[in-house]
Each structure stands twice: as C-alpha cells, then as structure tokens.
Amino acid sequence: MLANRISESNWALAQNVSILMQHSLKRRNETDSCFFLSRYRHRSSMATLNLSSLQALSSHRLCSSFPQNTPTPSFNFQLKPSINPRPISLKPYVSEKPRARVVALAVKSLGDTEALAVSPENDGPAGELPSGAGVYAVYDTNGDVQFIGLSRNIAASVAAHWKSVPELCGSVKAGVVDEPDRETLTQAWKSWMEEYIKDSGKVPPGNESGNATWVRQAPKRKPDLRLTPGRRMQLTVPLENLIDGLVKENKVVAFIKGPRSAPLCGFSQRVIAILENEGVDYESVNVLDEEYNYGLRETLKKYSNWPTFPQIFVDGELVGGCDILTSMYEKGELASLFKK
C-alpha cells in the first residue's frame, strides 16, 4: 500500500512538472515559430518535442528520494504552429497552347482543301467562295500555286485578283478562320505557306519579295493645296478669285475639314472614302488650315452659297456636300459625273 501511494504521488508530481514545462516550451515555441514562418511562409511545420531533459530532471528530483525501481515518466507530444500558413497548391502546372495555333490547326491543310474551278462564264469564283475571313491559295490553269494570301473577305479578294490577272486564276482553295483576329489569320497563312514550301521547295511566285502583281499597293496621296503663301503675307489677289481659279483649273476639288490623310469630321471622311473608292484623281483643300487658308471658310460659303462642309466641285461647278455625293454613289451616278 505504501509503495502504491508513493508511486501515485510520484506520478502526480511528474504530471505537475510536465504541465509547467509544457507551458514554458509552448511560449518559446511560439516565438521560434514566428521567426521560422517569416522565412518560410509557404511551408507548414510540425514540431515534435522529445522531453529527454524533462526525464532527467524528473529522475533527478524524484528518484533521489524514492526507490530506483519507480517508473520514470516520459512525455511525447506535438505542438501545432500558432499561425496557419497559406496552403500551397501541389497541382502540376500545365501550359496552355496558344489560341492562334489551335485555331490554325482547325483549318484544313492546303493539300486536304478542295479546289474551286474558275470559269469565265461565272465571271470568276466569287459567288462560290465564302465572304468570311481566312486564307486562300490561287492556282493557275496548270494547277501550279501562284499566290497564297489572307483576307478579311476571301470572296472579295479573289474577285479582285480575277479582274487584275484572270490568266493566272484557274482555281482557288479557301480556308475560313472562325475567330479572325490578326494573330490567328497570320498563323493560318503561315501553316499553308510552310506546307507548300516543304512540298515544293520554293515560295509561290506571287509571294516572292518585290512581286506587286497580287498585292495591291496603296496609292500615294497628293498633298493638300494651299491658297496663300502664308497668313502673314499680303495677298495681291482677292481670296474669292483664288477659289474661282482653283475650282476651274482642276477637274475635281474637295474642300474638307482636316487633311485628306486624316479628315477631322465624319462627313469629310466619308467624302474622301467615296472619291478614293471610285479612283478619282482629285485635289483637296483643308478649310481648317488657318496658316495657309486663312479666311477660306467664310469666303467659300459666299462663293458657293453653301453653308456647310465638305463641298465638292466638278469642272468648276458645285456638286454638293456629303449627303448628295453619298446618294449619287449609292445610285451609281458618280462614274458618269466624273467622266464628263
């Protein structure tokens, strides 16, 4: 009985000592954990404490007064960190394929695409070709590729080739791109070009550097006319006489707001677009140029008896503004007007 009581007292004392040591070690561990987590924020740590020192202390304090065969307690427990670190995703990173490449692969290869024959009776293949954006290849009557191009409107582009070089247009292959941004169109065109070069060992004649047969070059735009040498120069002739001489000496003159390369109002932009589309050789005058055309707006309103701009003159006579020119363009009346 006495031995049991001594053993129970021994265990109770050891438990009290372990609780005190546990609180002390927990505070110390919290301090160490903060330092540890500041350096390794994305790693979780589990601390296992071996209380061998506690065993020695308990054995020294308790067993010195009690028999040697008294069991010595040992305590093993885990301390959880006081701060929960952010979880780290261990999912493997999978790189996505570029969307342009995926779309390009959706377009049939050049060899797998069916060719559409071009016949003079049908006035070219435009009626059978898609009007969407994509890549196309033009073959001559011998079945040789002459040109591989890309377009926002395949039918319109092929129709333009048919009008300019009908002898080189025997058949056409077309591949439509469903999401036609610049990158995907370019990638689809590259895939057809690479396939052709791999099979033939050469570039199509129409795609060779310097060949302007298939690619329409932008025409050089004329500079805007200036009625005066400068605002600070004294005019020897009235401005109204300068206007009269200008419109009578030139076939077509457009008085617009802003330069012809970048009109500053929608109506002027529309007029320039119509004239460019009709292929008209015209002169333009910027009525907003206060340095070289100072006072032109008010003087021109009196001269033409027309209050708004733009104003278009043909053979010295006022045709009208944007609304009149647009109406004549939609009715197909401008061609006869400019040929007079």
Side-chain angles (χ1 to χ4, degrees):
M1 294 294 293
L2 178 60
N4 292 335
R5 291 179 181 178
I6 292 174
S7 179
E8 291 174 358
S9 299
N10 186 13
W11 277 99
L13 180 60
Q15 289 177 354
N16 292 334
V17 172
S18 67
I19 291 173
L20 293 175
M21 291 298 295
Q22 181 178 353
H23 285 292
S24 176
L25 290 174
K26 184 175 181 180
R27 291 180 181 178
R28 182 176 179 180
N29 185 71
E30 289 177 351
T31 304
D32 293 341
S33 296
C34 292
F35 175 75
F36 179 80
L37 291 173
S38 65
R39 298 182 59 186
Y40 306 95
R41 296 182 60 185
H42 300 292
R43 297 181 180 178
S44 61
S45 63
M46 298 297 295
T48 303
L49 180 62
N50 186 0
L51 298 181
S52 59
S53 59
L54 180 58
Q55 294 175 5
L57 179 61
S58 301
S59 176
H60 176 72
R61 290 184 177 180
L62 299 177
C63 296
S64 60
S65 302
F66 301 101
Q68 294 297 325
N69 58 357
T70 304
T72 303
S74 62
F75 305 93
N76 293 319
F77 59 93
Q78 294 180 340
L79 294 179
K80 295 183 179 179
S82 59
I83 301 176
N84 293 326
R86 294 176 58 187
I88 299 175
S89 176
L90 300 180
K91 294 181 180 180
Y93 173 75
V94 180
S95 60
E96 296 181 357
K97 293 182 178 180
R99 187 174 64 86
R101 183 63 178 168
V102 174
V103 175
L105 292 176
V107 178
K108 288 184 178 180
S109 64
L110 180 61
D112 294 337
T113 303
E114 183 180 358
L116 298 176
V118 177
S119 61
E121 292 79 8
N122 296 332
D123 193 23
E128 302 174 2
L129 288 172
S131 59
V135 60
Y136 63 94
V138 182
Y139 293 74
D140 59 18
T141 54
N142 296 324
D144 296 327
V145 176
Q146 292 295 318
F147 179 71
I148 298 178
L150 55 87
S151 174
R152 293 286 181 181
N153 188 326
I154 297 176
S157 297
V158 174
H161 296 321
W162 169 257
K163 291 180 180 180
S164 60
V165 283
E167 68 279 4
L168 297 179
C169 299
S171 60
V172 178
K173 291 185 177 183
V176 178
V177 176
D178 293 332
E179 300 180 17
D181 58 27
R182 184 181 183 89
E183 185 180 1
T184 54
L185 283 174
T186 302
Q187 190 61 44
W189 176 81
K190 284 183 178 180
S191 66
W192 277 26
M193 284 289 293
E194 291 172 356
E195 180 184 349
Y196 175 79
I197 294 173
K198 182 179 179 180
D199 294 340
S200 64
K202 61 181 180 179
V203 177
N207 295 102
E208 293 179 351
S209 178
N211 190 317
T213 303
W214 298 88
V215 180
R216 183 173 57 183
Q217 302 294 328
K220 294 182 179 180
R221 292 185 174 182
K222 296 180 179 180
D224 299 305
L225 296 181
R226 297 172 176 177
L227 292 180
T228 70
R231 182 172 181 175
R232 296 174 179 81
M233 301 295 293
Q234 184 68 32
L235 294 179
T236 58
V237 179
L239 187 56
E240 187 172 344
N241 291 354
L242 295 177
I243 295 173
D244 185 70
L246 177 65
V247 298
K248 290 180 178 179
E249 292 173 3
N250 296 279
K251 175 70 175 180
V252 181
V253 181
F255 293 90
I256 60 176
K257 290 184 177 181
R260 68 194 296 169
S261 59
L264 299 179
C265 79
F267 298 113
S268 297
Q269 187 176 17
R270 174 65 175 165
V271 166
I272 294 299
I274 292 175
L275 295 176
E276 294 284 351
N277 190 65
E278 289 290 320
V280 178
D281 182 16
Y282 68 98
E283 304 294 339
S284 61
V285 182
N286 181 9
V287 298
L288 300 181
D289 186 353
E290 293 294 331
E291 178 62 29
Y292 296 99
N293 297 325
Y294 179 73
L296 175 60
R297 280 178 291 177
E298 297 303 322
T299 305
L300 183 58
K301 289 178 183 180
K302 296 178 182 179
Y303 175 83
S304 62
N305 195 26
W306 194 267
T308 60
F309 297 97
Q311 296 183 17
I312 298 89
F313 286 79
V314 177
D315 294 327
E317 299 292 334
L318 175 67
V319 175
C322 179
D323 293 340
I324 294 178
L325 194 71
T326 300
S327 178
M328 296 180 67
Y329 173 73
E330 293 174 350
K331 295 178 181 178
E333 299 174 353
L334 288 182
S336 58
L337 174 65
F338 295 135
K339 288 180 180 180
K340 290 181 180 180

